Amino acid sequence: PHPGGEALDVRADGDAHLAHEDFRGFCVPPCGACGSGVLMPDVVFFGGTLRPEVREAARRAAEEASSLLILGSSCQVFSAFQLVQTVHRRGRPIAMVNIGPTRADPLVPDPLRFQSRCGD
């Protein structure tokens, strides 16, 4: 429960469910560099795509990794799951800290799967 007493809906990937009306007063800040576009952090939003150079760098890192630690991800997005598959195919150890089931569970041995919040 939340400090206010109400229960929070926390998803396996750490996302909280927010009703549409929670965003009524939200204003997207403009880009300070161009002044006319939407400010975009260097992250991928839901429904967005990875830049090709980022995808390739992640693929190379997975190929070269001696191990993989997954923190707070359901690995539902295929680009993330594909990295786990790559490390698994190479026979490298994979450990995971996450609440709830994930797409990668079959690739992570039980002793290396920790059902916990990353902040705990």
Side-chain angles (χ1 to χ4, degrees):
H2 185 265
E6 70 274 11
L8 292 178
D9 178 12
V10 179
R11 309 296 170 97
D13 59 3
D15 289 343
H17 173 74
L18 300 175
H20 186 266
E21 55 271 6
D22 291 332
F23 301 103
R24 283 182 288 189
F26 185 77
C27 178
V28 178
C31 174
C34 72
S36 62
V38 174
L39 179 64
M40 294 293 288
D42 197 15
V43 298
V44 178
F45 289 111
F46 181 78
T49 58
L50 289 171
R51 293 189 325 266
E53 64 273 16
V54 172
R55 184 181 309 112
E56 179 57 24
R59 187 199 61 75
R60 278 193 315 271
E63 287 286 340
E64 298 168 6
S66 60
S67 60
L68 178 65
L69 175 59
I70 303 165
L71 297 171
S73 175
S74 65
C75 296
Q76 289 300 319
V77 175
F78 187 70
S79 57
F81 181 61
Q82 195 171 31
L83 300 174
V84 179
Q85 288 179 312
T86 297
V87 174
H88 182 263
R89 270 195 307 273
R90 295 183 49 76
R92 306 293 193 230
I94 301 170
M96 176 187 297
V97 178
N98 194 59
I99 56 172
T102 77
R103 186 178 193 177
D105 285 349
L107 306 180
V108 181
D110 284 340
L112 295 178
R113 249 187 294 156
F114 302 93
Q115 295 287 325
S116 181
R117 293 175 183 258
C118 292
D120 292 347

